[in-house]
């Protein structure tokens, strides 16, 4: 048994479009448990930590601009294999290519804004989950 926790974000596009409930509905229907939830507009400093692996990428500036543009819902979920399981629910990074049935495939699209707006973030490994939870939920 591998009970895990993962850090999920409903990104500013998803929050602004009223999709937080839809994302939570899919998480709960899948059978994962909600552990913690907060709504906040992330600072650029938080996002620099969260996306440290992408700091040198050409899209980093637009990514931080987009992610700091408004409120997000940060959620810790729990369940066996929930890290891979939520990534599967979320679908692939590019919302144009993400499969129908996934969060990004059903709810995301290219809005022609430059930044990749793909509704959700999910941790990609236990190490990332631990690192990200410390950023978004320092008291957990
Ligand atoms: P994921 O969010 O699927 O884990 P990632 O960690 O590779 O993807 O990238 C983090 C975010 O950065 C992603 O959700 C959207 C943005 N991004 C990734 N690759 C990009 C690219 N080639 N051009 C523009 N934005 C990109
Ligand atoms: Mg990632």
């Amino acid at each position: 048994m591998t009970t895990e926790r993962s850090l999920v974000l409903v990104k500013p596009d998803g929050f602004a479009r009223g999709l937080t409930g839809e994302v939570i509905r899919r998480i709960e229907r899948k059978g994962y448990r909600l552990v913690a939830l907060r709504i906040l507009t992330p600072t650029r400093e938080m996002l620099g930590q969260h996306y440290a692996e992408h700091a040198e990428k050409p899209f980093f500036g637009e990514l931080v601009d987009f992610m700091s543009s408004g409120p997000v819902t940060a959620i810790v979920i729990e369940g066996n294999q929930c890290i891979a399981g939520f990534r599967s629910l979320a679908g692939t990074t590019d919302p144009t290519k993400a499969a129908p049935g996934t969060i990004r495939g059903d709810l995301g699209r290219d809005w022609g804004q430059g930044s990749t707006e793909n509704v959700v973030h999910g941790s990609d490994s236990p190490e990332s989950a631990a690192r990200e939870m410390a950023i978004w939920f320092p008291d957990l």
Side-chain angles (χ1 to χ4, degrees):
M1 189 135 131
T2 319
T3 298
E4 284 178 337
R5 290 183 172 184
S6 184
L7 187 279
V8 170
L9 300 175
V10 181
K11 296 185 178 185
D13 60 328
F15 186 91
R17 293 171 60 212
L19 298 174
T20 300
E22 173 67 18
V23 172
I24 290 172
R25 189 180 69 89
R26 291 177 183 225
I27 290 167
E28 290 192 315
R29 278 198 314 178
K30 181 74 171 174
Y32 301 136
R33 195 171 76 83
L34 305 184
V35 176
L37 185 150
R38 64 187 288 229
I39 294 167
L40 72 163
T41 300
T43 63
R44 300 181 75 86
E45 185 193 354
M46 287 173 73
L47 293 165
Q49 292 174 29
H50 178 81
Y51 283 125
E53 66 177 309
H54 298 306
E56 307 305 323
K57 305 268 176 68
F59 58 82
F60 182 72
E62 68 195 23
L63 175 62
V64 172
D65 287 347
F66 162 56
M67 289 296 297
S68 62
S69 66
V72 307
T73 305
I75 309 166
V76 176
I77 67 170
E78 185 175 74
N80 291 344
Q81 309 238 41
C82 72
I83 294 172
F86 181 78
R87 299 275 294 182
S88 182
L89 286 183
T92 198
T93 305
D94 180 346
T96 300
K97 296 177 184 155
T102 65
I103 293 169
R104 288 164 168 174
D106 287 348
L107 309 177
R109 55 164 287 196
D110 184 346
W111 299 93
Q113 299 300 306
S115 59
T116 298
E117 303 193 358
N118 57 10
V119 190
V120 288
H121 164 84
S123 306
D124 64 8
S125 68
E127 296 71 29
S128 299
R131 191 179 63 75
E132 293 168 3
M133 285 188 287
I135 296 166
W136 298 89
F137 293 92
D139 298 331
L140 193 65

